[in-house]
């Protein structure tokens, strides 16, 4: 008898992270000392989140390829800088009112600068790449190789410091990014190491999810969970609008910007890491983990719907990969030169592409393997090997 455990977990947005986290939280709520009771290796599973995360970031770093084409550098850099900028602005504004502590009463009880910054700073790379590949935009999917630099607590620590809150010693800042850098060095020196370490990325996720959940008390989840839905909508609207226009500014259609308006599953680990590095954030960390987890679910559910709706609008305008909406509207307004009654046949490539029946597979102009299909195919484009490993982690 076979039970589809993995497939069932993957049906839940961020399920490989969130379901083990919930299991850990249930056990901790029922009996807070379970890990200490068993001790040994079992106890280590309950308390070893930081160690597992260190391994995770080494493996994640190995999937980041330093060689990028100009298009990938421009697109990935624009989305990375824009999303980090949003988090800095939010951190500065909220830091002036809240400092490091969470709100201690009222409707917004539990919200903190840490929770908002952590939710904004990390993009769900797996979802982003899946959407871009499904819509035949291989170059945009490959841009995540640069965007993945936002993974981990380093960017959140940096943002909190820029916001004027409790800063972190340089040793702590370096320690937060060093595992990622070590992985990048190993992966770029030896492609076989990239393949070897990259395969371990998805394996680490349920284990650090369980360990993080072991420190959560579900008694506080109800209030924080409802607030987390609001946080997810905030991430979707604020980052979605900003990233949309950032994508348009660098020549895109805005589709990649919308697809990047998410919170990554591994962002739920950031509050605990930040609190371990600076005790000033300990009070905010537990509820921040729940809030960020709720934001992961909300953005994972809504972003595909919004992105698909906009993609269909682009198809009606005739926008293709690398073509912005203004050019598409101009092309739509021009006479086609062939307005027959439909009895003739036009065998040109452009005609096939405009009707959505053409297929163009192979390698695009930037050297990124991909496949571009018409609106009816719905099949994902191919993504490079390092991108697949990164996608599994998100």
């Amino acid at each position: 008898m076979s039970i589809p455990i993995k497939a069932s977990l993957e049906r839940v947005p961020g399920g490989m992270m969130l379901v083990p986290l919930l299991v850990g939280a249930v056990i901790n709520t029922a009996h807070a000392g379970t890990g200490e009771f068993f001790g040994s290796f079992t106890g280590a599973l309950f308390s070893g989140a930081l160690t597992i995360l260190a391994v995770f970031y080494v493996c994640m770093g190995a999937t980041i390829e330093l060689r990028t084409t100009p298009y990938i550098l421009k697109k990935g850099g624009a989305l990375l800088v824009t999303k980090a900028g949003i988090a800095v602005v939010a951190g500065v504004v909220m830091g002036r009112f809240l400092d490091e502590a969470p709100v201690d009463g009222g409707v917004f009880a539990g919200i903190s600068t840490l929770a908002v910054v952590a939710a904004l700073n990390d993009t769900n790379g797996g979802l982003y790449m899946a959407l871009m590949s499904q819509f035949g935009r291989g170059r945009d999917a490959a841009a995540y190789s640069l965007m993945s630099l936002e993974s981990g607590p380093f960017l959140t620590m940096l943002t909190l410091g820029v916001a004027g809150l409790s800063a972190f010693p340089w040793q702590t800042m370096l320690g937060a990014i060093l595992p990622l850098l070590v992985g990048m060095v190993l992966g770029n020196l030896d492609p076989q190491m990239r393949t070897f370490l990259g395969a371990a990325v998805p394996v680490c996720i349920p284990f650090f999810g369980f360990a993080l959940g072991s420190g959560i008390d579900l008694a506080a989840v109800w209030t924080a969970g409802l607030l987390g839905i609001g946080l997810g909508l905030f991430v979707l609207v604020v980052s979605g609008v900003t990233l949309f226009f950032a994508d348009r500014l660098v020549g895109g259609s805005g589709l990649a910007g919308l697809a990047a308006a998410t919170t990554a599953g591994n962002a739920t680990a950031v509050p605990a890491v930040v609190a371990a590095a600076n005790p000033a954030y300990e009070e905010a960390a537990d509820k921040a983990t729940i809030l960020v987890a709720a934001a992961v679910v909300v953005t994972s559910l809504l972003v595909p719907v919004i992105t698909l709706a906009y993609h269909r609008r682009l198809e009606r305008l005739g926008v293709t990969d690398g073509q912005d909406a203004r050019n598409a509207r101009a092309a739509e307004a021009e006479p086609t030169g062939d307005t027959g009654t439909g009895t003739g046949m036009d065998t040109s490539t452009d005609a096939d592409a405009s009707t959505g029946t053409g297929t163009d597979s192979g390698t695009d102009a930037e050297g990124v393997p991909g496949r571009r299909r018409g609106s009816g195919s719905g099949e994902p484009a191919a993504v490079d090997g390092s991108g697949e490993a990164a996608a599994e982690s998100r």
Side-chain angles (χ1 to χ4, degrees):
M1 182 182 68
S2 177
I3 301 176
I5 298 174
K6 183 173 182 290
S8 299
L9 290 175
E10 289 174 342
R11 291 193 188 100
V12 180
M16 279 294 180
M17 169 71 191
L18 297 180
V19 173
L21 184 143
L22 181 60
V23 171
V26 169
I27 294 174
N28 181 64
T29 303
H31 189 273
T34 303
E36 292 82 357
F37 176 79
F38 288 103
S40 189
F41 300 120
T42 301
L45 283 175
F46 282 81
S47 59
L50 293 182
T51 303
I52 300 170
L53 282 167
V55 176
F56 171 80
Y57 287 124
V58 172
C59 297
M60 182 69 187
T63 67
I64 301 174
E65 192 167 0
L66 295 179
R67 292 177 298 175
T68 58
T69 66
Y71 180 89
I72 293 173
L73 186 64
K74 179 176 68 173
K75 177 62 68 77
L79 297 179
L80 173 65
V81 171
T82 301
K83 198 157 192 185
I86 298 169
V88 169
V89 172
V92 170
V93 173
M94 294 190 65
R96 292 187 178 275
F97 297 98
L98 299 180
D99 294 325
E100 298 86 1
V103 175
D104 57 4
V107 178
F108 296 100
I111 195 71
S112 62
T113 307
L114 174 60
V116 174
V117 171
L120 285 170
N121 257 337
D122 208 345
T123 300
N124 188 329
L127 181 59
Y128 169 82
M129 295 176 69
L131 290 171
M132 291 298 94
S133 299
Q134 178 182 345
F135 300 144
R137 296 173 182 255
R139 295 188 302 171
D140 287 348
Y144 180 71
S145 61
L146 184 61
M147 294 165 61
S148 59
L149 290 172
E150 66 189 3
S151 298
F154 174 78
L155 202 57
T156 296
M157 290 180 177
L158 185 64
T159 302
L160 294 171
V162 171
L165 303 178
S166 292
F168 301 85
W170 70 266
Q171 299 96 324
T172 302
M173 296 287 289
L174 179 60
I177 199 173
L178 195 56
L180 195 73
L181 294 177
V182 169
M184 289 173 63
V185 171
L186 292 173
N188 282 275
L189 288 178
D190 185 358
Q192 290 186 348
M193 284 298 292
R194 176 183 296 123
T195 303
F196 172 71
L197 293 173
V201 170
V203 176
C204 295
I205 294 174
F207 291 99
F208 74 69
F210 176 81
L212 289 170
S214 300
I216 295 173
D217 185 353
L218 288 177
V221 167
W222 176 247
T223 302
L226 291 176
L227 195 58
I229 295 174
L231 177 59
L233 294 174
F234 174 80
V235 171
L236 176 61
V237 173
V238 173
S239 64
V241 171
T242 312
L243 291 169
F244 174 84
F245 287 107
D247 187 16
R248 294 292 295 268
L249 284 174
V250 295
S253 63
L255 191 69
L258 291 177
T262 55
T263 300
N266 58 27
T268 56
V270 170
V273 176
V274 171
N278 190 330
Y281 296 98
E282 284 183 353
E283 185 181 357
D286 285 347
K287 285 192 176 181
T289 299
I290 296 295
L291 291 170
V292 174
V296 172
V297 175
V298 171
T299 56
S300 296
L301 291 173
L302 295 182
V303 163
V305 176
I306 295 172
T307 307
L308 177 60
Y310 184 63
H311 172 67
R312 288 174 175 168
R313 179 174 182 273
L314 293 178
E315 284 185 325
R316 290 195 297 270
L317 292 172
V319 177
T320 60
D321 191 8
Q323 190 180 27
D324 65 26
R326 287 173 296 180
N327 290 341
R329 292 192 186 98
E332 190 180 52
E334 292 177 358
T336 61
D338 183 9
T339 57
T341 61
T343 58
M345 180 180 294
D346 185 353
T347 59
S348 70
T349 302
D350 289 340
D352 285 341
S354 66
T355 58
T357 59
T359 300
D360 178 17
S361 61
T363 305
D364 62 24
E366 297 295 338
V368 178
R371 175 174 296 170
R372 186 156 58 249
R373 295 181 181 269
S375 61
S377 68
E379 297 182 9
V383 183
D384 63 288
S386 63
E388 291 176 357
E392 288 291 335
S393 73
R394 320 291 276 186

